[in-house]
Structure formats: C-alpha cells, structure tokens
Amino acid sequence: MRPNARRTTLADIAQAAGVSVATVSKVVNGRGDVAPRTRARVQELLHQHRYLAPVFRHTEAIESPTIEVQFQGGLKSYVAEALEGIVDSAAESGASVVISKASRAPHWARDLVSAGRHAVIAVTSVYTTAHLNELARAGLPLVVLDPLHLPDSRVNSVGATNFAGGLAATQHLLFLGHRRVAYLGGPTMAVCNQARMHGYRAAMEAEGAQVPDAYVQPGEFTYETGLLGAAALLDLPEPPTAIFAGNDEIALGVIETARARGLRIPEDLSVVGFDDTSLAQMASPPLTTVRQPLREMGGAALRTALRLANGEKVESHHIELATELVVRASTAPPREETSARR
C-alpha cells in the first residue's frame, strides 16, 4: 500500500466478489459455512488487495480460536511430546489446533489468516526478521517453543532452564567421581545448546576439573552426532570417562558407539542425556537424563498464543520452566583403570 492509500475493507472485498460482507467475514474468520467456490474467490481477492485481518482488535474473546502449530524436520520424540502438550491444552481450552511443517511460500502468513488461524506456535523452527515482519503485517501473534536462536524482542517464547539442567547433569557426574567429562552438544549457535554447555563448564570450573578444547564437541541434535562425536572423543589420547550429551538422541548414539567398541555402560563410560523423552526409558541401559518438561512447555505455549490472539498482554516475553535430573542406570563411578580407549 502507498503511504496515503486507503486501507482495504471487508466491504470492498464483498463488493468485488459479489457477496455480502457477512460472507467475507466468515472466510476471514475461518468459518465453514461458505461454499468452496465462493471461499476461493474471496480468498483470491483478499490476496490481491493485500487485506490484513485486524486480529489484535478483538473486543471480546474469540469463541473458537484456531492455532497453527509449525515444526521443521522430522517428527521426532522431542517434537511429538511438545505437540502432545499443545493438543491437550487446546482441548481443555476449547481451541482447535492445525499442525503443519513450516512453510515459506509467498504470502504464507496471509494464507494462514485467510484460513482462519488466530496465532502461530513454532516448535524448533527458525524465523528470520523477514518472517517476523510478514507475521506482523498479517497481524498474527507468534509463540516460539524452545527457540533455537535468540528471539526478536517482539517474539514471545517458552523454554526450560537449560543452564541449570547442564549444571545439574555435570554435577551429578562429578559427584560420582568423574573428572574427565566431555560435552557432546548440538549446533554451536543454538541458544539451548549454549546454555547447557555453559552449565557444564560452570560445574567443571567450580570443581577445578580441566576442560580440554577437544572435550567440547558441537554437532546437531541427532543420533548421528552421538555416533560420530563419541568416536572422536574416545579416540583422544586421554578419552573421557563420562559424556554429557546435549539431548537424548545424541546420548543414544554415544551408547551405540561405546557398545560397538566393546565398552560397557556405565562400567566403562557414563552417559547423561537431556530432554527425558520416551527414548530415555527405552534405552539400554535406561538413560540418566535431564527432564525438560516438554508437555508442560507445549501447554504454556498454547495458553500464551490464545492470550495474544485475544489481544491480551502477557507478563513476560519469555517463560522458562524448571528442568530436573532423572538418575537411571547409565551413570556410575569411574573405574580406577578406564578401558575407554579400547
């Protein structure tokens, strides 16, 4: 729109489509009682006129809000458990949830508005400034669950106490008597990875335990990172007796690499994960890990999205829920003569 151009109204769209204003309003708000051909025609005109739905102007609560939940990559245990929390909270709140993979098609934010979405929750998705600007222009609130990067000040987010979790995991290993403890994490620039790594370093420094550069290995939050990273760590001249993994998937990769080398968990190598997904309990042996309250985080994200969709203010742009160390069978005191170099 030009600076002094008149804002397109529902009446303008209705006149162009040859329908009533009420019909156009139904399309904008995602109502189902509109003929498919009429809906398509109205949506096309909404795009042509770049109509922006004023979702922040609610004077009363939306009766049946619909939240778009987007995620990137595969539907892994972490994502599935967060989604479960979102869906359960939506059912309690009387809201609807549409789950999709993150889209970057042209006018994707306007498409969501036209489809009747009232807010967006992003799970492990990366949004650039351009994406945030498009959401702002479309009037769609955004809540990021466990942001990978430092979010824009305009973004509301929900996460966990990653630093405290990293600290607790490392302190547990130090309490058992380990001094050669390595950290095998996710992407270097991921906020959650940085916080977990800093918690690890803080615990090691407080105990006076050395952290050789090779003991901190970045990667991805994947099983493959665990396989390859553990191999690199165990090939060191002085390998670690314990590995703190940035998530449960990495930890399972570490366990498999150790097993392939004839090492026993935890007798020859102790392993700690992060998240406490279903994988942690199914691991062999069951995995000591830091519980990230994924379902509760999903519920908090959903409730925040509903408040924003109704034009309410939230007390904080970022919510952090507490982590908790869960001790199982993958950690034990180190042997006097470690066989980790086998």
Side-chain angles (χ1 to χ4, degrees), residues 126-199:
V126 177
Y127 283 77
T128 66
T129 300
H131 300 142
L132 298 179
N133 289 340
E134 183 166 355
L135 284 167
R137 285 193 296 268
L140 271 179
L142 170 67
V143 179
V144 179
L145 182 59
D146 204 6
L148 288 177
H149 301 292
L150 285 172
D152 187 286
S153 59
R154 297 170 291 174
V155 177
N156 290 275
S157 58
V158 177
T161 54
N162 289 294
F163 177 89
L167 187 72
T170 311
Q171 286 176 334
H172 168 67
L173 293 169
L174 292 168
F175 176 79
L176 290 173
H178 293 277
R179 290 299 178 269
R180 302 207 307 269
V181 181
Y183 176 70
L184 182 54
T188 303
M189 297 308 296
V191 173
C192 56
N193 178 71
Q194 289 185 24
R196 292 167 197 175
M197 184 267 291
H198 287 313

Side-chain angles (χ1 to χ4, degrees), residues 76 220-227 247 249-251 253:
K76 299 182 179 181
E220 300 294 332
F221 289 121
T222 62
Y223 180 76
E224 290 72 21
T225 285
L227 290 174
N247 75 347
E249 285 197 33
I250 295 174

Side-chain angles (χ1 to χ4, degrees), residues 19-242:
V19 298
S20 68
V21 172
T23 297
V24 176
S25 178
K26 289 179 181 180
V27 173
V28 169
N29 290 288
R31 294 275 296 276
D33 50 343
V34 179
R37 183 173 297 180
T38 301
R39 179 184 299 278
R41 173 61 177 157
V42 171
Q43 288 177 337
E44 180 183 353
L45 287 166
L46 288 168
H47 288 317
Q48 290 178 4
H49 289 268
R50 297 186 178 181
Y51 176 78
L52 304 182
V55 298
F56 286 115
R57 298 181 183 178
H58 301 300
T59 56
E60 57 185 29
I62 303 169
E63 291 185 3
S64 301
T66 300
I67 309 300
E68 182 86 7
V69 181
Q70 297 187 340
F71 68 96
Q72 290 179 328
L75 188 56
K76 299 182 179 181
S77 295
Y78 169 93
V79 176
E81 294 190 27
L83 291 178
E84 187 174 348
I86 293 172
V87 171
D88 287 347
S89 184
E92 295 173 359
S93 304
S96 298
V97 170
V98 177
I99 299 173
S100 65
K101 288 203 171 184
S103 171
R104 296 297 180 263
H107 310 303
W108 61 276
R110 291 193 183 95
D111 289 342
L112 292 179
V113 172
S114 298
R117 310 294 188 258
H118 299 98
V120 176
I121 297 175
V123 183
T124 66
S125 297
V126 177
Y127 283 77
T128 66
T129 300
H131 300 142
L132 298 179
N133 289 340
E134 183 166 355
L135 284 167
R137 285 193 296 268
L140 271 179
L142 170 67
V143 179
V144 179
L145 182 59
D146 204 6
L148 288 177
H149 301 292
L150 285 172
D152 187 286
S153 59
R154 297 170 291 174
V155 177
N156 290 275
S157 58
V158 177
T161 54
N162 289 294
F163 177 89
L167 187 72
T170 311
Q171 286 176 334
H172 168 67
L173 293 169
L174 292 168
F175 176 79
L176 290 173
H178 293 277
R179 290 299 178 269
R180 302 207 307 269
V181 181
Y183 176 70
L184 182 54
T188 303
M189 297 308 296
V191 173
C192 56
N193 178 71
Q194 289 185 24
R196 292 167 197 175
M197 184 267 291
H198 287 313
Y200 154 80
R201 284 190 177 276
M204 295 290 282
E205 290 172 7
E207 191 65 22
Q210 293 185 351
V211 181
D213 291 342
Y215 271 27
V216 178
Q217 298 275 351
E220 300 294 332
F221 289 121
T222 62
Y223 180 76
E224 290 72 21
T225 285
L227 290 174
L228 300 175
L233 288 169
L234 296 176
D235 282 339
L236 293 172
E238 193 171 37
T241 61

